[in-house]
Amino acid sequence: MLSHLPLPSPVPPAHDHLDRHMLDRAARLALRGFGSVEPNPMVGCVIARGDQVLASGHHRRFGGPHAEALALADARAKNIDVRGATAYVTLEPCAHIGKQPPCTDALINAGVAEVVFARSDPNPIAAGGAVILRRAGISARPSDASPLATGVSAPFVKRVTTGLPWVIAKWAQTIDGRVATRTGESKWISGAWARRRVHLLRSRVDAILTGIGTVVADDPLLTARLHHAPRRIAKRVVTDSDFSLPLDSQLATTAREAPTLLAVERSMACTTYTAKKRAAADQLGLTIVPIADQGPGNGLDLTELLRTLHFEFNVSTIMVEAGPGLLGSLFEADLIDEAVVYIAPMLLGDDQARSVAVGRVAEKLSNARKFGLWRVKNLQGDVELTYRKVEPNE
């Protein structure tokens, strides 16, 4: 009968608690670089002796010093000797000369005794830092103790390994999961604080994706309206198979102020039928992006669109602000990596009110797209929930 008793849970290594504490701290530093460092990864570094933090730093801007170099500079500014200390880094230290010297050299010269990193570098150009550190007599080990630290590098890992940008879907909903009334009214489900957070997110991504249905219905501007200059001016991208964008819409008339791209079915980009409108669009500063169609009723090939945006327009991060149709298509194609959801303290209870996404057929729970809760923030009545896609092996 003893064989039927549950096995005792494995005891976590003694260093797991400290690893998580320090890597969590490094990850929170790394997130400060969102919108300033891409296409480089967000990276944070904490140097500690035991549980005492000596110095810290994070990658602040593309082309600038890396997190490890800034943490070491912080130690020097404090006149702290880091020899024998441990460096906790969200990503394996780089081992190549790029815009900055190798971080491995800086750590070796500083005399740290150990380097703990949350994720290996997938970039073949920069990888191999752990091996170089070990050859120099420094303990270098990966640690998955901090899901936050591991997740910080996920957008960079995806870009390097798949050639696709990181896709963030954003929406505001009622408690019962409705994004608009049955008549389409949605302003405003979320409150002022939530809307400020949306503008902040717009200011940090490379592109904002929407559908032609949303443009026709709402005539959005899709710019970051803040009290300070945005970190990035996002490209506004419209999926518009039939090239039906109204040229008097806000997106069209402001195309020279904020780049606007129209993803149209490939034949629409060259047929004589649209020649006059293409010329008018060009005068406004609109950019036509030809994309393959997936057949009658299936819309554009969204994977091709994302890959084109990444390789031809240097897009690393995309925010989706769209209606249920485009969101449903993106979820169906498994192209959403992150969902930022604002839940307002209201309930409609109307079965004809509009839901977040439509168009999928999910007869069983196993057909659902799985997401894990990553962060939670209270916004004076609304709640901001950030989810990350759960991979099959997680």
Side-chain angles (χ1 to χ4, degrees), residues 133-394:
L133 292 169
R134 292 177 192 132
R135 286 174 182 166
I138 296 174
S139 171
R141 61 179 174 85
S143 172
D144 59 2
S146 167
L148 183 62
T150 303
V152 159
S153 302
F156 174 71
V157 171
K158 183 193 178 187
R159 292 194 298 271
V160 171
T161 57
T162 69
L164 293 172
W166 186 256
V167 181
I168 305 168
K170 183 281 303 179
W171 67 83
Q173 67 174 58
T174 61
I175 294 170
D176 52 338
R178 302 297 178 169
V179 298
T181 66
R182 63 171 64 195
T183 61
E185 182 185 358
S186 61
K187 294 182 179 180
W188 294 104
I189 287 177
S190 57
W193 278 73
R195 295 198 294 276
R196 288 191 197 105
R197 293 280 293 179
V198 171
H199 284 280
L200 184 63
L201 183 55
R202 286 178 181 175
S203 77
R204 294 182 171 183
V205 296
D206 293 322
I208 299 168
L209 177 65
T210 194
I212 186 61
T214 297
V215 175
V216 171
D218 299 337
D219 193 20
L221 191 56
L222 299 181
T223 55
R225 297 183 288 283
L226 302 166
H227 295 302
H228 54 81
R231 295 188 180 184
R232 300 198 167 196
I233 303 295
K235 299 174 178 67
R236 302 170 301 179
V237 184
V238 183
T239 58
D240 184 14
S241 297
D242 298 329
F243 195 9
S244 56
L245 178 80
L247 295 185
D248 60 351
S249 64
Q250 290 196 91
L251 290 179
T253 57
T254 60
R256 295 200 181 279
E257 300 165 29
T260 305
L261 282 59
L262 300 182
V264 304
E265 194 275 321
R266 190 158 282 135
S267 67
M268 287 290 175
C270 58
T271 179
T272 55
Y273 172 71
T274 60
K276 186 176 180 180
K277 189 170 183 179
R278 291 202 313 272
D282 184 65
Q283 287 294 314
L284 290 170
L286 295 164
T287 300
I288 307 299
V289 183
I291 298 295
D293 190 87
Q294 297 186 104
N298 293 320
L300 299 175
D301 185 330
L302 296 174
T303 302
E304 180 187 325
L305 171 59
L306 294 180
R307 185 165 283 113
T308 300
L309 291 174
H310 179 55
F311 285 108
E312 296 186 19
F313 296 93
N314 301 314
V315 170
S316 297
T317 51
I318 295 180
M319 176 183 180
V320 182
E321 293 195 68
L326 180 55
L327 274 174
S329 296
L330 288 163
F331 279 116
E332 178 64 17
D334 200 20
L335 293 173
I336 302 293
D337 301 297
E338 184 174 315
V340 179
V341 184
Y342 297 93
I343 300 183
M346 65 174 73
L347 184 145
L348 291 176
D350 184 344
D351 62 357
Q352 292 188 44
R354 299 183 183 180
S355 61
V356 172
V358 297
R360 300 192 69 235
V361 176
E363 297 178 346
K364 300 179 293 184
L365 290 178
S366 58
N367 298 134
R369 296 298 184 203
K370 303 292 179 60
F371 288 78
L373 184 62
W374 205 53
R375 284 187 292 167
V376 179
K377 190 174 184 66
N378 190 325
L379 298 175
Q380 293 199 348
D382 297 328
V383 179
E384 180 188 78
L385 302 176
T386 302
Y387 295 91
R388 288 279 184 89
K389 181 169 67 175
V390 175
E391 299 298 340
N393 59 347
E394 292 185 22

